Amino acid sequence: MRVAIIGNGVTGVAAALSIRRLQPDWEIVMISGESSFHYSRPALMYVFMGHMSYKDTKPYEDSLWRKNRIDLVRGWVTEIDAAGKKLIMHEKDPVSFDKLLVATGSKSNKFGWPGQDLGGVQGLYSLMDLRLLYENVKGARSAVIVGGGLIGIELAEMLHSRNIHVTFLVREESYWTNVLPIEESQMINRVILEQGIDLRLLTELKEIVGDDSGRVRGVVTNEEEFIECQVVGLTAGVSPNVALAKASGIKTGRGILVDWSFRTDTPDVFAAGDCAEIITEGEGRNLIQQVWYTGKNQGKVAGEVIAGRHSVYDPGIWYNSAKFFDLEYQTYGTVRNVPVEGEDNFYWEHPDHGRSIRIVTKDGVVCGINVMGLRYSHRVCESWVAEKRSLDYVLDHLGDANFDPEFYEKCEAEIIKEIRKQAA
Amino acid sequence: MEQKIIDYDFNEETLGFEEPEKAPDKPLGTGEKLSLAVLGFGILMFALQSMGMPPGGTWAGFLLVFLPVFFGTAFYFHLNFKGTVPGIKHDNIYFRGLTNKGVLGWLVGIVFTGFYIALYWFPEYLAGGIKIVNPLSLALSGSPANNWFFYGFLYTLAVFIFGVRMFMKYRHNRYQKIRTASVMFFQLGFAFLIPNLLMLFNQPEFYLSYFWPLKPEYLFPGTLSYFVNHPGGLGMFLIFWGAVMTFIATPLLTYYFGKRWYCSWVCGCGGLAETMGDPFRHLSDKSKKAWRTERWLVHSVLVFIVVTTVLLWVNSATSGAVFGEASMSLKKWYGFYIGAIFSGVIGVGFYPIMGSRVWCRFGCPMAAVLGIFQRYLSRFRITTNGDQCMSCGNCSTYCEMGIDVRAYAQKGENIVRASCVGCGVCAAVCPRGVLKLENGGTFKDRFSGSDKPLGALIDSLKHV
Ligand SMILES: Cc1cc2nc3c(=O)[nH]c(=O)nc-3n(C[C@H](O)[C@H](O)[C@H](O)COP(=O)(O)OP(=O)(O)OC[C@H]3O[C@@H](n4cnc5c(N)ncnc54)[C@H](O)[C@@H]3O)c2cc1C
Ligand code: SF4
Ligand code: SF4
């Protein structure tokens, strides 16, 4: 039996390792055009800023793959021949398979802005993008970043570290308010401004303007302002990378359509991670998850299914974390930017604006927690949400969740006082 | 597939990612320039006075050198970090020659190494510098400065200057601030002032913060008989102190706090590594091979020092009839190869090449003892925050002990490793708040994953 995996991101790797655990004798081949070995995509920024070398971003020693007999192929798949059970490769011999996992990740969104293909205009997703950024920053003094999400702020930090003046265009009234409640969002606005980044809220990109040589010269905003720049970062989100699957006749929607065991409509072809769209029957939209841990969990389950187990994916209770320059953020459960009917928000912010916590209850039961500038325990917060704890219970046990380093100033007493006041 | 991507094929392994181009830096502020000028003045004074210029050898001369050196550097670091927002500041570490084994790094390595060679074998080359610290030596210990006093003084000065840097760099992190204050305190008090003052009062020079087996002679029969016979009774106390620290305090404190109570809070070698060594901490080798080498080397040194100590005692008990020659030559051999070459020349001299904890990791017998306790009988562990790890590698990169912290964190397992000195930097640099150093309630719940000590031991033996 021979399993081929397209993509060596966290999803592909989790699948490969779980297949190997269950099927010691199967052949496994993992293909990627981007890199020879698996590396951590979230660490791209640290390479550019000089915190780490490229080799430090590889989560496993190179010898792991040989030891686990996972064959690595460096190359691009140009077509999936599902009927003929083989992958057509760019400038390489075809790779045959009995079962296939497509884990091709995401690609940066482009919304058809005028000038989006000019030189100096780019997204940030892959090592190729990083390489391109090396080219694009040559001689650059100022940059414009379009789109206020997680990758946008990372790119801002990267360019800022090279002394490039950054103008950050955010369409919403405040940074990332399509996800974050306004208070947290404003904490981040402050952080961005404090770094000397020119944050433009409620500002949209209208047009990217080039010079005669086809390189970007500046952008025009919806307010008809011209901002001069030599680099434009387009970071208005990512979407599932479905081009290959779609062209090969595998059924796609926004992502590659799969069931809860990651089977596509095509026999023996599976898809998981950023590129997959899990069909959700009944209410609700199909599920697309595009973060690291979901890729890891989806890949693991997909691997088990491919290896012959009856596994079904359980997305569990949502969590995530990020860092905005020096401000850390963690979220557990459901915290909406704007509360819906039946939800109550309790919020505490440290007078220095460096720390905050939000506890959300729905019908009296805690359903979500946000912390900024504090570290809270995943296990503890998750258990509160899973066990449907009351606000009182959570406040009584708040100290258990603190995960800050030793000797840090503990704010729990203040938090509890303030939130009890709000709840009264 | 998009044609553009195919065109953009490259080999990231061989190409690497060197430094991207940078827009010009802001020029140094007046304060920073002034600080550097003050430092330069101090260095110039040092050079001139060590060549015999007045007022070398007087208090005035001493202050003219070391006040500017200390305040110049300390203010420079202060101003340098003050202009930044508090947080992890690791930009450009991999682009600078000094911190990425470039020309400057090698140069500094050679200068450090040269200094140690002079210190151990050619102290006459340091005569000029020794003269400058003479007034301090006379005041503290009552005797003229020698190369060891000079060394102790510079060592303490370095811990303080770079301690200021640590305070500024980690001003958002109380664990780091308190820990840095602790190493500064123990270096100044226990490793510099007290030993010298003891000499002033005609007592044996004794370092209260060093014990057997790091200072093996404190349990050698020769030293003990010297202490016992020393008039005044303090000698007895020192023997008692040494024995209690080695046999009672070491296991007890390590049980409650892990080896960090010593390695990154008290020890002088650790003190220098945590201050002056901080800019080089990421240079430690993280490979499994290095880990294997580490275990072999550090435990061999321990066995060696235990054997030497036992032989010396047998020798002394039998008045030299048994092992006489052998035990003495072992002792000499240890002093030369381990004491001088390993802990000094390689341990500090190679900071810019092999990272700041080469000695602590590969050589220190005290670390080996503490490590065995920490691994098998301690409450200390680094816990992982659920599944928040995204495998970025900051923790492993900045672990001075070369521990692949990420390997555990990405599996959601606790980190329970003999070599971890508990510096807390992995937890500080993690951008997702994944790691936490803890003294848990018991030691039974420490092993959360595949890394049970017995299994790991058997595993490691298989690799031999
Ligand atoms: C800059 C950045 C920062 C991020 N930070 C975080 C973070 O902090 N936390 C978090 O949770 N998530 C973060 N993410 C998201 C996270 O990286 C992704 O969710 C995760 O990498 C998805 O993994 P995957 O394996 O599904 O896909 P990918 O990692 O995208 O891997 C897909 C692989 O498939 C290969 N491939 C695609 N098409 C082909 C083909 N035709 N032939 C051969 N190979 C092909 C690609 O080369 C790629 O290597 C970040 C993403 C980016 C871009
Ligand atoms: S594991 Fe963490 S605390 Fe331990 S030595 Fe390494 S960096 Fe320091
Ligand atoms: S620094 Fe944090 S997120 Fe990064 S690999 Fe280490 S534990 Fe994981």
Side-chain angles (χ1 to χ4, degrees):
Chain A
M1 184 68 79
R2 182 178 166 94
V3 183
I5 298 171
I6 310 178
N8 68 356
V10 64
T11 311
V13 165
L17 293 174
S18 97
I19 296 169
R20 176 51 75 232
R21 241 187 326 271
L22 297 169
Q23 296 291 355
D25 305 324
W26 286 14
E27 269 182 72
I28 303 174
V29 50
M30 195 158 65
I31 305 164
S32 173
E34 182 185 0
S35 62
S36 302
F37 296 98
H38 171 51
Y39 76 97
S40 172
R41 196 171 296 292
L44 278 176
M45 64 183 295
Y46 301 111
V47 175
F48 188 80
M49 299 196 302
H51 294 210
M52 289 196 270
S53 67
Y54 171 71
K55 83 173 175 15
D56 297 325
T57 69
K58 292 192 279 182
Y60 304 98
E61 280 193 11
D62 293 350
S63 58
L64 175 111
W65 311 107
R66 207 173 347 96
K67 266 189 211 142
N68 283 287
R69 285 165 292 111
I70 295 168
D71 298 328
L72 303 178
V73 173
R74 173 74 185 267
W76 294 105
V77 179
T78 52
E79 191 194 330
I80 300 168
D81 178 359
K85 293 272 170 97
K86 63 177 192 287
L87 303 172
I88 313 300
M89 304 285 300
H90 175 74
E91 290 178 358
K92 272 206 165 92
D93 291 339
V95 175
S96 65
F97 64 86
D98 299 302
K99 295 183 182 205
L100 173 71
L101 176 67
V102 184
T104 47
S106 303
K107 59 175 183 34
S108 307
N109 286 338
K110 281 187 175 182
F111 290 117
W113 288 294
Q116 67 180 15
D117 293 320
L118 287 168
V121 182
Q122 68 167 118
L124 178 69
Y125 190 80
S126 60
L127 287 170
M128 290 78 78
D129 292 335
L130 192 69
R131 217 44 234 178
L132 187 59
L133 191 61
Y134 271 73
E135 297 300 319
N136 286 340
V137 295
K138 283 187 182 149
R141 293 289 178 273
S142 50
V144 171
I145 292 173
V146 184
L150 291 173
I151 298 178
I153 199 165
E154 284 185 3
L155 187 55
E157 188 172 350
M158 290 158 73
L159 293 168
H160 187 64
S161 79
R162 305 317 295 164
N163 295 338
I164 293 170
H165 181 261
V166 177
T167 308
F168 196 6
L169 307 188
V170 172
R171 197 177 52 181
E172 291 77 22
E173 59 179 307
S174 180
Y175 172 79
W176 214 30
T177 35
N178 47 338
V179 172
L180 289 180
I182 189 73
E183 287 86 358
E184 282 92 325
S185 162
Q186 280 172 347
M187 284 173 82
I188 303 169
N189 290 349
R190 246 176 254 125
V191 162
I192 296 171
L193 291 169
E194 188 183 24
Q195 293 284 345
I197 285 171
D198 188 0
L199 176 66
R200 305 284 184 91
L201 302 173
L202 290 170
T203 309
E204 277 178 63
L205 173 68
K206 188 176 158 216
E207 185 188 352
I208 305 170
V209 186
D211 60 17
D212 296 340
S213 66
R215 276 198 65 88
V216 58
R217 183 163 69 78
V219 303
V220 179
T221 70
N222 57 341
E223 284 156 4
E224 299 300 334
E225 184 186 354
F226 178 81
I227 303 171
E228 193 190 302
C229 65
Q230 298 80 43
V231 183
V232 173
L234 298 180
T235 55
V238 296
S239 31
N241 180 8
V242 297
L244 173 69
K246 196 170 176 180
S248 309
I250 296 163
K251 196 169 172 200
T252 59
R254 282 187 299 146
I256 304 172
L257 291 167
V258 294
D259 64 11
W260 288 87
S261 296
F262 303 106
R263 287 179 281 251
T264 66
D265 72 328
T266 310
D268 293 326
V269 178
F270 302 75
D274 272 27
C275 66
E277 174 176 353
I278 306 177
I279 301 167
T280 308
E281 302 294 340
E283 25 67 76
R285 304 205 303 163
N286 286 351
L287 184 66
I288 299 182
Q289 294 181 306
Q290 292 169 300
V291 292
W292 186 261
Y293 88 86
T294 55
K296 192 156 141 184
N297 292 349
Q298 290 191 13
K300 183 161 170 287
V301 172
E304 288 165 6
V305 175
I306 291 170
R309 290 282 171 94
H310 290 286
S311 284
V312 177
Y313 179 61
D314 170 13
I317 288 164
W318 167 255
Y319 62 91
N320 201 11
S321 52
K323 192 174 181 185
F324 310 100
F325 287 91
D326 298 303
L327 182 61
E328 290 178 16
Y329 152 75
Q330 298 179 333
T331 184
Y332 300 103
T334 312
V335 179
R336 280 175 236 276
N337 52 352
V338 186
V340 297
E341 190 60 30
E343 279 181 0
D344 283 307
N345 274 246
F346 303 94
Y347 182 75
W348 169 90
E349 189 170 314
H350 194 278
D352 72 6
H353 300 303
R355 277 161 282 181
S356 78
I357 181 168
R358 173 183 305 274
I359 304 179
V360 182
T361 60
K362 187 165 168 60
D363 306 323
V365 167
V366 170
C367 67
I369 295 169
N370 268 2
V371 284
M372 308 273 298
L374 294 167
R375 292 176 173 181
Y376 264 44
S377 158
H378 180 191
R379 291 278 175 257
V380 175
C381 294
E382 188 179 48
S383 74
W384 288 339
V385 175
E387 293 161 11
K388 299 198 175 345
R389 295 298 182 177
S390 67
L391 181 64
D392 262 338
Y393 180 93
V394 166
L395 291 179
D396 286 344
H397 296 82
L398 200 64
D400 299 349
N402 187 296
F403 202 75
D404 270 338
E406 294 153 300
F407 304 120
Y408 268 43
E409 183 198 354
K410 294 263 184 294
C411 302
E412 273 70 28
E414 297 293 312
I415 297 171
I416 293 166
K417 212 167 85 192
E418 170 63 24
I419 291 188
R420 284 213 199 281
K421 208 163 75 195
Q422 292 176 14
Chain B
M1 204 57 238
E2 252 181 283
Q3 195 56 41
K4 188 171 156 210
I5 291 179
I6 293 169
D7 289 344
Y8 225 88
D9 213 353
F10 66 96
N11 186 340
E12 73 289 343
E13 300 281 335
T14 52
L15 186 68
F17 289 89
E18 71 293 358
E19 172 164 18
E21 207 176 282
K22 194 177 189 187
D25 278 308
K26 263 206 306 270
L28 281 186
T30 332
E32 277 153 309
K33 275 191 204 148
L34 217 67
S35 310
L36 288 180
V38 169
L39 168 67
F41 174 78
I43 293 175
L44 185 72
M45 274 291 129
F46 180 86
L48 292 177
Q49 289 184 26
S50 58
M51 287 184 308
M53 273 251 306
T58 67
W59 272 109
F62 173 82
L63 294 176
L64 271 175
V65 172
F66 291 109
L67 283 183
V69 166
F70 176 75
F71 285 106
T73 329
F75 270 114
Y76 176 76
F77 286 139
H78 179 84
L79 295 170
N80 208 256
F81 280 102
K82 210 178 141 229
T84 62
V85 179
I88 296 303
K89 294 291 164 272
H90 282 156
D91 286 357
N92 300 316
I93 296 260
Y94 272 86
F95 304 147
R96 290 197 189 113
L98 178 62
T99 51
N100 192 29
K101 294 188 263 193
V103 179
L104 197 57
W106 279 96
L107 220 69
V108 170
I110 289 168
V111 169
F112 280 2
T113 311
F115 173 77
Y116 274 92
I117 291 174
L119 179 71
Y120 282 104
W121 296 289
F122 308 101
E124 58 274 18
Y125 286 106
L126 303 177
I130 295 173
K131 200 179 91 194
I132 300 175
V133 297
N134 199 37
L136 184 69
S137 178
L138 285 173
L140 279 180
S141 70
S143 41
N146 60 10
N147 51 334
W148 298 115
F149 181 86
F150 182 52
Y151 176 51
F153 173 75
L154 288 185
Y155 201 102
T156 310
L157 184 72
V159 169
F160 269 70
I161 287 177
F162 287 90
V164 170
R165 179 179 171 278
M166 283 297 279
F167 277 130
M168 286 309 289
K169 181 175 172 188
Y170 284 109
R171 61 198 187 283
H172 59 290
N173 187 320
R174 279 186 77 195
Y175 181 77
Q176 298 303 335
K177 283 193 292 190
I178 297 174
R179 198 174 60 79
T180 303
S182 171
V183 294
M184 288 161 84
F185 170 80
F186 281 104
Q187 176 57 38
L188 180 67
F190 283 47
F192 186 64
L193 292 181
I194 294 179
N196 279 302
L197 289 173
L198 282 173
M199 277 162 51
L200 182 66
F201 295 105
N202 285 322
Q203 297 295 337
E205 180 187 8
F206 192 89
Y207 295 81
L208 291 165
S209 53
Y210 291 115
F211 334 111
W212 186 93
L214 180 51
K215 269 266 184 220
E217 52 274 32
Y218 287 179
L219 284 187
F220 283 170
T223 323
L224 293 201
S225 63
Y226 167 74
F227 280 179
V228 170
N229 297 327
H230 200 87
L234 189 72
M236 283 308 280
F237 168 75
L238 296 178
I239 295 175
F240 175 74
W241 173 264
V244 166
M245 289 316 288
T246 298
F247 295 113
I248 300 176
T250 296
L252 212 63
L253 290 172
T254 310
Y255 174 75
Y256 283 108
F257 306 114
K259 81 197 268 187
R260 57 178 168 160
W261 76 267
Y262 189 68
C263 294
S264 65
W265 282 73
V266 171
C267 177
C269 308
L272 194 68
E274 295 295 345
T275 48
M276 193 171 83
D278 179 72
F280 309 110
R281 54 184 312 126
H282 57 285
L283 297 173
S284 58
D285 188 341
K286 315 299 185 311
S287 66
K288 286 215 173 69
K289 209 171 125 206
W291 183 16
R292 211 142 54 223
T293 314
E294 162 197 316
R295 281 175 295 180
W296 272 104
L297 262 177
V298 77
H299 294 117
S300 305
V301 173
L302 177 62
V303 168
F304 187 91
I305 197 64
V306 170
V307 168
T308 307
T309 310
V310 169
L311 290 190
L312 281 168
W313 278 99
V314 172
N315 170 40
S316 122
T318 58
S319 319
V322 187
F323 304 133
E325 281 297 297
S327 63
M328 279 318 194
S329 62
L330 273 185
K331 182 179 154 184
K332 271 214 196 94
W333 194 91
Y334 184 87
F336 180 76
Y337 284 101
I338 310 290
I341 297 205
F342 206 155
S343 79
V345 179
I346 299 178
V348 180
F350 287 18
Y351 268 15
I353 306 304
M354 295 173 73
S356 51
R357 287 272 194 180
V358 179
W359 160 249
C360 312
R361 184 181 176 194
F362 295 101
C364 175
M366 183 77 189
V369 171
L370 292 163
I372 292 168
F373 282 117
Q374 168 156 292
R375 186 80 177 93
Y376 296 99
L377 203 68
S378 167
R379 292 177 168 194
F380 172 75
R381 79 293 302 267
I382 302 175
T383 49
T384 303
N385 196 5
D387 294 320
Q388 288 278 21
C389 174
M390 40 112 187
S391 302
C392 70
N394 271 292
C395 52
S396 298
T397 304
Y398 287 95
C399 177
E400 55 189 350
M401 295 305 282
I403 299 173
D404 189 0
V405 183
R406 166 175 56 192
Y408 303 85
Q410 66 192 358
K411 286 189 283 184
E413 289 177 6
N414 289 351
I415 296 110
V416 181
R417 279 279 293 266
S419 61
C420 169
V421 292
C423 65
V425 169
C426 53
V429 298
C430 172
R432 295 297 176 267
V434 174
L435 304 163
K436 181 173 184 196
L437 281 64
E438 285 183 51
N439 310 310
T442 69
F443 71 90
K444 287 209 189 79
D445 60 348
R446 299 198 303 158
F447 307 103
S448 57
S450 53
D451 197 33
K452 298 265 193 301
L454 195 64
L457 186 70
I458 294 168
D459 224 35
S460 69
L461 293 176
K462 274 195 267 178
H463 286 301
V464 170

